[in-house]
Amino acid sequence: MEDVALATFQERLKELRKAQNMKQSELAERLGVSMYTVSVWERGQRRPEYDNLDSLCEIFQVNLGYLLGTSD
């Protein structure tokens, strides 16, 4: 059996956002953060605080494990 690597948080975030045809600025507005903050998350330079992680899960209708890349 092949060992398949799970996606990272930044890959999942970008994938989920693009799947909904959402711009970084739109996601930022929904979360009440700057577009720069979303960009930093997607580049893997920082991770969001828990309240933003929770909001991201609600927006994209996924669980936290999936969003963080610890589960499929």
Side-chain angles (χ1 to χ4, degrees), residues 5-71:
L6 295 174
T8 62
F9 165 74
Q10 61 262 28
E11 291 168 337
R12 287 269 164 88
L13 177 59
K14 192 172 190 176
E15 164 193 307
L16 289 165
R17 180 180 58 76
K18 287 187 170 206
Q20 291 196 9
N21 295 315
M22 187 183 298
K23 295 178 182 175
Q24 284 182 342
S25 59
E26 294 170 319
L27 179 57
E29 188 174 325
R30 287 184 70 175
L31 293 168
V33 299
S34 70
M35 189 176 85
Y36 173 77
T37 298
V38 173
S39 174
V40 166
W41 294 343
E42 288 189 0
R43 290 193 313 261
Q45 295 176 327
R46 256 193 345 217
R47 280 203 177 169
E49 297 294 323
Y50 181 79
D51 58 336
N52 284 323
L53 285 172
D54 192 44
S55 296
L56 287 166
C57 288
E58 287 180 27
I59 290 168
F60 296 119
Q61 296 295 298
V62 296
N63 67 42
L64 186 58
Y66 181 83
L67 182 63
L68 293 177
T70 60
S71 70

